[in-house]
Amino acid sequence: MNKIFIALCAIYDISFGSRLLLQTSPWSLPTGGSQTLPGVATPVQPLVCNEPCTSSTSCPSTCAQRNGAACVEGVACATAPIEINNPTKAFSMEFNAQGAAAWSVINVNYGPSGMTKELPAININAPQALYQATIRINNQQLNEQVKVTEINCGAGLCVGATFEFINADFGDLKCDEYAGCGAGCEVVMHGVPVACDLVSTT
């Protein structure tokens, strides 16, 4: 997968620019198409985000708007990025409502002493569930590389999503053959963003 990814990097025109993940002004999802976690957690159960978030003022989801934009360093903050530390190999993520994790940063962190080899699945099951969100797989294990076995985007459900891999990899990024993964969906490896549609499988 790394070889394919690197080859595609050379032909990809980076056209989306900065996402401004720390945006604080009012926003809403473009028209068209939970589980509460503290700032630092080691969940036993999957992260499941079932509530919607369609704008900055209509957002019951506790998984959304978690980007730290309004937080002060050293002070507990309800909108801090979601930090998932050293999950087991059974851990997975599901996003089941429109905008469920919109404008969030979700960091999945594997510490140096860990021995985890895989994260089985990231399932996106609703339109714009990860709009302008970043899921970052940050592997600092000394002896293992983490691989996300499957990322399931369905028919264009990953609009505006970023999947970033640090010392990590992924197996299949599954998207509809015709609808694709979704406009603005990116995979970032080695610091280089590439359109999801260029590295997806059907």
Side-chain angles (χ1 to χ4, degrees):
M1 177 60 69
N2 270 327
K3 291 180 181 179
I4 296 172
F5 184 90
I6 292 168
L8 288 170
C9 287
I11 63 170
Y12 178 57
D13 178 20
I14 301 172
S15 60
F16 299 113
S18 174
R19 305 276 205 114
L20 299 179
L21 284 172
L22 301 184
Q23 174 169 319
T24 58
S25 58
W27 61 272
S28 61
L29 292 177
T31 56
S34 70
Q35 169 180 327
T36 305
L37 290 178
V40 177
T42 307
V44 175
Q45 300 299 320
L47 171 62
V48 180
C49 301
N50 288 324
E51 298 296 324
C53 183
T54 57
S55 73
S56 56
T57 57
S58 178
C59 189
S61 175
T62 55
C63 295
Q65 302 187 101
R66 297 287 300 271
N67 54 50
C71 297
V72 177
E73 187 175 353
V75 179
C77 182
T79 60
I82 296 172
E83 302 286 344
I84 299 165
N85 293 327
N86 302 312
T88 68
K89 64 181 181 180
F91 176 72
S92 62
M93 292 183 267
E94 292 187 11
F95 304 93
N96 299 322
Q98 185 179 22
W103 290 102
S104 283
V105 175
I106 301 171
N107 294 315
V108 184
N109 305 306
Y110 297 87
S113 61
M115 297 294 290
T116 303
K117 295 182 179 181
E118 67 175 328
L119 191 163
I122 301 173
N123 295 313
I124 298 86
N125 300 318
Q128 303 164 320
L130 293 176
Y131 183 73
Q132 299 296 342
T134 295
I135 294 178
R136 182 176 294 115
I137 310 300
N138 179 19
N139 177 38
Q140 300 302 319
Q141 296 178 134
L142 298 178
N143 298 311
E144 296 291 351
Q145 183 180 53
V146 175
K147 175 179 280 190
V148 178
T149 305
E150 289 185 359
I151 303 171
N152 295 300
C153 286
L157 299 180
C158 288
V159 169
T162 295
F163 302 97
E164 182 177 357
F165 298 87
I166 300 172
N167 300 320
D169 199 358
F170 66 96
D172 290 321
L173 173 56
K174 294 186 175 181
C175 303
D176 182 80
E177 181 178 1
Y178 301 104
C181 302
C185 178
E186 293 181 340
V187 171
V188 180
M189 293 186 72
H190 311 293
V192 180
V194 169
C196 292
D197 288 334
L198 293 178
V199 292
S200 67
T201 55
T202 56

